[in-house]
Amino acid sequence: MDGNAKRKLVLRKDDDDTGKAYRFKILLPNGTSVELTLRDPQPQMPLPDFLQLVEDAYNGAREHNQSMKRKKDINWIGAPLFLHDSTDAKIKNVIDFHNYKPHKCHILQLHDGRTEIAKSFENMWDLTPDIDLLLELPEEYSFQTALADLIDNSLQAVWSNGGNSRKLIRVIVGPDKISIFDNGPGMDDTDDNSLVKWGKLGASLHRNSKLQAIGGKPPYLMPYFGMFGYGGPIASMHLGRRASVSSKTKHVKKVYMLHLEREALLNTCSEVKWKTDGGIRDPSKDEIKDCHGSFTMVEIFDPKVKDFDINRLQCHLKDIYFPYIQCDELSERGKTITPIKFQVNSVDLTEIQGGEVAITNLHSCNGPEFQFQLRLSFSPDSDGIKTASSREIQVANARLRVVYFPFTKGKENIERILEKLADDGCVIRENFLNFSRVSVRRLGRLLPDARWTLLPFMDIRNKKGNRANILKRCSLRVKCFIETDAGFKPTQTKTDLAHHSPLTTALKNIGNKISDNQKADVAIEIFKDRKVLTPLQLEKEYVEWLLQMHGQYDEEADSGEDQAVIIVNPENKKELRISSDVIRVHKVLKRKEKLWKHGERIKVQKGACAGCHKNTVFATIEYFLLEGFEGDAGGDSRIICRSMDIPDKNGCLLSVTDENASLEIRGSMSIPIGVIDSGKLVAVASIEWENRLKKKQQKSPALIDLLGSDHYHDSEVDGLEGRMISMQLVAVESTKWDNRVNRKQQKSPALIDLLGSDHYQDSEVDGIDSNCQSYERNVIVKPSLAAVKFTLQTGDRIDVRVGSPFPTLAIAGYDSQDKRVPFQSISDVTIKIKTANNLHFDVCGMKNTITSDKLTLKIEDAMVISNELDKIRPSYRTSLFIESKSIPFVLSVPCRVYPGVLKLVELKPKITEDQLVPGYIFEEFMLEMFDSYGNHVPKGLEVTITLTGFILLNHLGTVHQVDEEGRINLSGLLKLTAGYGENVSICITFENKTMVKQDFSTVRRILRIASGVPDFCAAGGHLENIDFEIVNPDGEVDRKIHHSDKDGQFHMLTIKSDLLNAEESVRYTFMHGRCTVPLIRIPVNDGIFCFEAAHSQYSELCLIVQVPVFKTPNKKFDLPPTPNKSIIFLQDDPVLNQECNLMLSVVNNDNDDKKLGELIRLGEKIAKLEKRLNLYNEGKAEAEQEMFKLLEMVQHYQVGNMDSLFTKDEVVTRIKRVENWASSVFCDLSTQEKQPFMEDIIGVVALLGTVQRPQLSRMLAEYLGEDRMLGVICRSFDTATSLQNYIQNGEIDSEQALHAQAADLGRAISKRFLVICFEELRPYTRYLQENDSQRKLALPNPRLPNGSTPPGFMGYAVNMVDLDINHLQTRTASGHGLRETVLFSLFKKLQVYNTKKSMEAARASIEDGAVSLDGGIIRENGIHSLGFGDPFICFPCVNQKNLPPETRAIWTQIEELKSDFRRNEETIKVATKYHEKYLKKFRKKENKYAKLIDRMVPETESFGI
């Protein structure tokens, strides 16, 4: 083909575009790229011709590109040029166009023989966006929103993996780089799935999938979020300055890369093409391991945000994608599953306990939700008339779930949610009243800014009627979760629904009543329980549901703190404003964690309730009315109070007789209890009350009578402190007086006030006849200066903190008539703090002052200093004494003295060098927390623990709370995960301040060959018995490196060589620091043979060995004599092996020679087996001897205890050993690929959880019996019946169901077995312990006849089994967990006692049986179980703290030896079997081998050997 012909193939812009066009992008060796388009070429083209076209295109582009001119030249002539395609195939001769699709772009990489291959290529990708899209870019958004946009892309990708495929999203956020990895289908260079679409604005890969996400089944988990096509590039550029996207698909071997620069994006304009760099590389080992063939990874460099709270970020992302992380609606049986595995900084988000969604779910009630679905349709035509040109009607669907958060234990659960979020560090700007009661998810993704108020159908605060007050309160105890499909359009940042969309507006107005003359733009259909509802019907059913939830779960009528007076069928219900036939009258009530008492002075703010619309009312609490009997849920509550204007004698009257009780409200008023919740009812201090009373008195002057001197002694005028009262009286005619008095009484008679003469000039009395005579009299009132009592005005209890000033203490004195008395002296006022155990704390720095009116003594700046608070923890209760000898007085008030703020953290015991071994678990390790004075800080204080090279086995996150002893106990939880010779650290921070940080280095170990390696080896031979050792820097063998299954620590040696691929790598176990490799094959070709030996778990223990290999020349040699004409090679001799190989290479011309080779190989096998058997038998004997020695060092009772300390793996092993039981079959099936019926199998009773003591494990197992311990728990009755089929005569069909599965495993089920149907059990429906992740039951302690708890009582068995973390979220359809159902049905209220003596003494309080740790069992109805049992199957036990540390250490060694012993036994068994097989085969052919030897001798002589 000539040059002109070749050039005609190149398609130019002005050419006709008919026919086939093949487009190629050629990546050149110097890091540049060119594009080439060929039109209608021949089926094949010689490679030189194709490369000539490439060279021409390169030269043409280089003339106009300065950057290409600066690149190195390409060697077009001197080097052997070839191309690589996407499948990594080399193209050296011909371009076959049958391998490429026309009208698609294909990437080829050119190689010119350079050793350095470019990894990045200029202008590889064309990302030029549409001009219109540049005008629609979203506004600046937050770090979390941008990160979520990138995660959206990953979520969409992995969702297409299919139902049974693994779906992984891994996010790593660091100060220098952010990466998002997913194992989705990936992207490559093809047009349909091009990496360009990720970075090109407006080129979303998933935008067309929106229609697939309209409709379907709630919660609409179809993550087709793509709407605008710029989430990837814009979000990545918002997070950092540079970004790199790497992606691979399954059908290509290479990883394609795309690089983004922020400056390039900002400088983009419509006149310049935006091209960006890219690259091609091989996938890394980690990528291959995680992706299963395809993946996408986005990396952001130089992030803008470097200071972030990773725990907060984890919680935020869990909130955003909660249904994709854990969901119970995708399983037909309601089982909680994990659709996608989310990891953020190596932490699985399923293990994160915080977050608003998780905390909200935890505090909701267990009752039914109020659910209904909406279907909305909208025609875009403004006039609503459909025409032929009208656009398609828009349709959207939504499900609304309203959840109830009850009032329990004197507090709103919504307030508990807000407090918990604040404690977790969230910025909370909401309270109970303005709490966001509507949240929205679109396609399962939370829209974080969609925090709406009540929807119209939920807002019933303006209702009237008898139940209005209840409904007003209940309407605020809900939250509505809206789940929408893709029919609703989000904002550009996907943080809310589009504000101006008619569908959004219609959703926000759901429940609004539309009049007949109004026209709805959006048609709405409401479905509930397959019925169509109108808005009125919806509101009616919602109100009924609210009242149902209130009646079942609210405990607001159960908050009385004193003995109640019961009133039955009160006649004045209307005046009391109650509706129940039974009310309880209390004097003390607990509300919002505060005690409100009879006689307490309060004020009800203006507008709080009916009767207080215009003014703030000052009143005194008289009684609290609670509807229903004690323990009844629901009901209303009222406060009966008397206004300041109403005298005490006119207040309410409670009458109690032998027959009945009644309450007359009289001048008092009944106000709803909700005024406390709204914060509009507050307690009033004495000073404010007195000021208010004075104002009242000043506004109500009245007449006064003249008293004689004898009257003054009994009057209250004595309190006027010696002031002279001048009174001027005017004589009035009787008729005028009577008329005046009548008019005054008809107005509002008020309290009597003493008026001076000047007051009368302005009073109404001045209007009386001036001819009347006047009379004047002076009265002197003397004060009383003797105080008979003193009170503290600042509260009934004082809380102080060590090292911090007291609150100001105000003291007042009163005389016998409760009048304030002035203070005369303050010189000797002192403060003392005493405890119940006679400790005294010093108080210093106090400053005493008297107010200007001398009525109040103030003590300020007092401070307590002490380092002995640990002696009074955890209550910190003391008594505060204020006294003076000169006045004199003594005041005593309760006081709590708390420790100061955290100042010092100590690690105890200190970490020693011998503990810094990879895999080491610190059995005893805790963090001691102190204040500045050496006191342990109080319980509940939270600190952040940051670990590098360590992990916590409980996976509870980084925030930990101090326990009641002032420490954080990490014993048995802290594990060292770093490798040998690495740096690790422990850092404790409190309120963003580092309290302590300790750095360590793990021990150093070296892998070496102890037996030596020959200087050279013969080709085709092998190395034998190579001994490897792991030694410390001093050269001593580390005998602790011993293969054991404990904690997943596997010490094995991996051998890799050119003769073995990664899948064929051979592993050998380390025994006390040594490992022997019996055989390493040598290649048949000469050269340098290289093999790698490395520890299977710690890659830093690695050794690369190189051995020269030579081909052995064929030369004459003498065979050793062969007595008895038979050869049995039972030894491994390298020289002999080489000679045998040479002999076989000479004698290879007939079938007999092949038999001779078989003979030699058989002898080698037998010799190796015998040698291994000797080694295994020696190891077995050695382990047995060491076990006996260690057992002699442990006392018998301790060994008995240790035998009960089963781990979960040991219990599983024991269950598998139990023959003919279904539970053993389930244990085997659980480790294999899950069968369909296994999805509804929850597990075996014995594996539900763990207990803390070995004695308890044994006693609970003995109480239940083996049949219940091995009971199988399934979700439903249908699953239970499907496990077994019967044939006509009533026999079991062993070829079906579970029996068929057992037969496949080589097992048989011949015994009856219990199946527990999870959904069929009657659950425990009372209260659960608050804030307990284990959901323990709130059972009251048993009581003896004298009312006390029995001595030795340890708890209820149902609460002493800690559920496995995988079972904590297992729920029935009604929301009950395994503890309320399975464990409660097995144990009921079984009590656990320390000793039999304590158990027997408590027989009167035992209801459902009891057990004691020393072997006693009392079953129901007084049946005693005597004797001693030793159950084979027990609950796993995790606590070894009751045994001495030296015993635990010895037992650890024994368990390791046991593991070695069992492994040796199994290996010896297998090796013996093969040894017998080979010997039998050998002896059978012994005569044939002799004949072969006879025939071989003359043949070898003929060769001169």
Side-chain angles (χ1 to χ4, degrees), residues 561-728:
E561 297 293 317
D562 62 330
Q563 185 65 37
V565 175
I566 307 297
I567 300 178
V568 181
N569 292 323
E571 297 179 356
N572 55 343
K573 288 183 182 180
K574 186 174 181 180
E575 290 80 4
L576 297 176
R577 302 203 175 185
I578 59 162
S579 58
S580 175
D581 293 333
V582 178
I583 59 173
R584 307 193 312 278
V585 183
H586 285 272
K587 287 187 176 181
V588 183
L589 178 130
K590 188 174 184 180
R591 192 80 175 187
K592 292 180 74 69
E593 298 184 342
K594 182 183 183 307
L595 285 180
W596 303 86
K597 299 179 181 179
H598 169 82
E600 187 171 358
R601 294 167 176 172
I602 60 172
K603 66 177 177 181
V604 185
Q605 296 176 355
K606 181 172 66 175
C609 61
C612 305
H613 291 305
K614 297 182 179 179
N615 299 304
T616 297
V617 176
F618 283 74
T620 303
I621 294 177
E622 295 181 310
Y623 297 105
F624 301 96
L625 304 185
L626 308 181
E627 292 186 348
F629 290 104
E630 186 173 359
D632 292 349
D636 199 2
S637 304
R638 309 287 298 186
I639 305 173
I640 306 299
C641 58
R642 175 174 47 83
S643 173
M644 178 185 284
D645 298 333
I646 305 300
D648 188 11
K649 62 182 180 180
N650 293 338
C652 71
L653 177 64
L654 177 65
S655 302
V656 182
T657 63
D658 295 337
E659 297 179 356
N660 201 350
S662 63
L663 180 67
E664 297 180 46
I665 194 166
R666 303 206 290 186
S668 300
M669 59 181 179
S670 173
I671 62 177
I673 198 74
V675 294
I676 296 179
D677 303 334
S678 64
K680 294 187 176 182
L681 185 149
V682 294
V684 177
S686 299
I687 297 176
E688 184 180 1
W689 180 271
E690 291 175 2
N691 292 335
R692 182 72 175 187
L693 187 60
K694 287 179 181 178
K695 291 181 180 179
K696 283 278 186 183
Q697 292 172 347
Q698 292 172 1
K699 291 180 181 179
S700 303
L703 298 176
I704 184 169
D705 288 334
L706 288 178
L707 304 179
S709 59
D710 55 333
H711 292 83
Y712 280 95
H713 297 291
D714 300 328
S715 70
E716 296 182 358
V717 185
D718 292 336
L720 296 179
E721 303 180 3
R723 287 178 289 176
M724 180 175 290
I725 303 174
S726 176
M727 295 174 290
Q728 182 178 2

Side-chain angles (χ1 to χ4, degrees), residues 1064-1076:
E1064 295 175 340
S1065 300
V1066 184
R1067 294 188 174 187
Y1068 305 89
T1069 58
F1070 276 98
M1071 309 291 284
H1072 301 293
R1074 291 186 174 90
C1075 176
T1076 300

Side-chain angles (χ1 to χ4, degrees), residues 32-33 60-70 122-123:
T32 60
S33 62
R62 190 179 184 185
E63 291 179 2
H64 303 90
N65 192 312
Q66 295 297 324
S67 176
M68 295 180 72
K69 292 180 179 180
R70 292 192 294 267
E122 290 183 357
N123 302 326

Side-chain angles (χ1 to χ4, degrees), residues 782-797:
K782 297 181 178 181
S784 173
L785 298 178
V788 297
K789 68 175 181 179
F790 293 85
T791 61
L792 190 66
Q793 303 293 298
T794 48
D796 298 332
R797 193 187 82 183

